Amino acid sequence: MNEMTKIETTLKDWETDQEVRWCPGCGDYAILKAVQRTLPQLGANPSNTCFISGIGCSSRFPYYMETYGFHTIHGRAPAIATGVKLANPDLDVWLVTGDGDGLSIGGNHMLHVLRRNVNMQIMLFNNEIYGLTKGQASPTSRVGTRSPSTPIGSYDRPANPCAFALGAGARFIGRGFDVSKNLPDVLKAAHAHQGAAFIEIFQNCIVYNKDVFDDFAAPKGAGDRQLWLEHGKPMLFGDPKTGFEKGIALDRDALELKVVDATEENWEEAGVLVHDATNRSVAHMLIEMPFGPFPMALGVLYDDPRPTFEAAVADERARATVGKQANLAKLLGSGQTWTVDDKEGHTTD
């Protein structure tokens, strides 16, 4: 596969003439602008970029990107995107899905695109609700969520998208939220990764699940509730203006994470972990880290590339055709054939 040829574009080059139609205040607007601002910084080419979506509020995305796009069917976007990537490995493929589309009817397809490691960026917008179909509980809805389908409160234990991705074999897992200024950095890291890059984006549904992420995403006091991970940097959180106040360390007896008091000056003495994005075990602990006693882990949680699916397919095709010439007539006449004589003695092969 060829390296992407970088070109100069602006945000306007990625905007379509379509009216953006989400509910006023929807977090999808912020994600759309984040993507449209990020692609010029990557040097991406609209004519070599393809956005593929399933069904849901998030799946309107291809209409608003001045690129190639495909609004597919419920849950099947990963299968379509895999076919697109195999047909043209040089295309820059972005898959857009939601927590319902990607983890309910599409859970099986999502599993296979991740385990196969097809080279694309997968953005899963998680608003913990079915927004398009009027507010039913989704696979990620919290216990107790009241909705038309769970009028006295959901009792299902919610799915953890990043844990699902890690278990399915994803080699890149990132997290961000709609209005975060750091979301473009996560998108850039995902794009740089060769393979299936899974990004969970917490997204506010202004109508059916308003402000459900304010417990960690609200601006006031955010430093105490957000752990932004950066490879090679200590896991510190708190107010950066005061040198942070806390960090994440490993309780070696219990083999689990813990919060410790720490600053930029004494973090080593406090035992604060340095983030190693290639460490799958620590990534799993960060993903499962319970919010409340711990901050929400955001940024690039895991990044450890391996050969991609389409590269393996191309290699297989090359090996299978060595020394062979394409001859359809010979192929059709080979193998098990037979002759049928009709009553007049005419022969048909």
Side-chain angles (χ1 to χ4, degrees):
M1 185 172 58
N2 298 327
E3 290 292 327
M4 183 181 75
T5 301
K6 296 185 177 182
I7 67 169
E8 288 189 14
T9 60
T10 67
L11 183 149
K12 292 294 182 182
D13 294 314
W14 298 89
E15 295 179 333
T16 70
D17 60 359
Q18 300 297 299
E19 178 187 359
V20 182
R21 299 184 63 184
W22 286 308
C23 300
C26 174
D28 288 353
Y29 286 97
I31 300 172
L32 175 64
K33 286 302 177 186
V35 173
Q36 290 173 334
R37 289 191 181 99
T38 300
L39 289 169
Q41 296 173 27
L42 294 172
N45 186 342
S47 65
N48 196 54
T49 304
C50 184
F51 279 82
I52 297 174
S53 65
I55 295 296
C57 296
S58 64
S59 294
R60 302 181 67 87
F61 216 86
Y63 294 105
Y64 309 138
M65 296 298 303
E66 190 58 48
T67 66
Y68 292 103
F70 199 166
H71 189 175
T72 71
I73 53 180
H74 210 350
R76 272 64 178 183
I80 302 297
T82 298
V84 169
K85 193 67 179 179
L86 289 178
N88 187 351
D90 290 332
L91 274 181
D92 188 11
V93 176
W94 295 73
L95 192 155
V96 186
T97 186
D99 47 303
D101 180 63
L103 296 179
S104 185
I105 191 171
N108 186 49
H109 293 280
M110 184 65 71
L111 182 154
H112 294 301
V113 77
L114 292 172
R115 74 170 180 84
R116 285 173 172 152
N117 199 37
V118 185
N119 190 20
M120 66 180 72
Q121 296 73 239
I122 302 167
M123 298 189 296
L124 185 143
F125 297 10
N126 182 11
N127 56 20
E128 297 186 2
I129 209 77
Y130 279 106
L132 185 68
T133 52
K134 306 302 181 284
Q136 302 93 328
S138 84
T140 59
S141 294
R142 304 179 192 188
V143 173
T145 298
R146 292 178 178 270
S147 76
S149 60
T150 55
I152 59 175
S154 173
Y155 48 80
D156 282 346
R157 183 174 181 270
N160 182 327
C162 289
F164 170 86
L166 189 68
R171 309 295 295 193
F172 180 101
I173 297 172
R175 260 200 201 136
F177 58 94
D178 45 17
V179 297
S180 169
K181 65 179 182 181
N182 296 325
L183 180 57
D185 292 332
V186 181
L187 297 175
K188 291 175 189 175
H191 190 267
H193 177 89
Q194 291 297 301
F198 181 88
I199 314 113
E200 177 185 16
I201 306 175
F202 296 111
Q203 175 256 321
N204 186 34
C205 177
I206 195 73
V207 176
Y208 297 111
N209 216 13
K210 183 180 179 183
D211 301 333
V212 70
F213 301 116
D214 268 5
D215 49 4
F216 68 85
K220 188 175 181 180
D224 293 324
R225 294 174 277 111
Q226 298 174 12
L227 171 65
W228 282 97
L229 297 160
E230 187 175 350
H231 181 71
K233 297 292 181 68
M235 298 184 193
L236 292 168
F237 64 100
D239 187 351
K241 294 180 181 178
T242 59
F244 302 100
E245 295 91 17
K246 296 185 181 298
I248 301 297
L250 178 65
D251 184 331
R252 299 186 183 279
D253 293 326
L255 289 179
E256 60 185 16
L257 300 179
K258 62 180 180 180
V259 175
V260 295
D261 294 328
T263 66
E264 287 180 310
E265 287 73 34
N266 72 351
W267 64 266
E268 288 184 278
E269 299 171 24
V272 172
L273 292 173
V274 173
H275 183 45
D276 177 2
T278 67
N279 190 318
R280 189 177 187 278
S281 297
V282 174
H284 182 259
M285 287 191 279
L286 290 167
I287 288 168
E288 296 282 6
M289 200 163 61
F291 179 75
F294 291 91
M296 177 61 69
L298 300 163
V300 178
L301 286 74
Y302 183 54
D303 185 359
D304 188 19
R306 71 175 181 187
T308 64
F309 181 67
E310 66 275 14
V313 170
D315 179 67
E316 179 190 54
R317 288 172 178 168
R319 287 186 288 109
T321 56
V322 171
K324 297 179 181 178
Q325 291 184 337
N327 188 324
L328 183 59
K330 183 178 179 181
L331 175 65
L332 293 175
S334 65
Q336 295 182 341
T337 61
W338 59 92
T339 300
V340 178
D341 292 328
D342 62 18
K343 292 181 179 178
E344 284 76 27
H346 299 114
T347 300
T348 303
D349 291 331

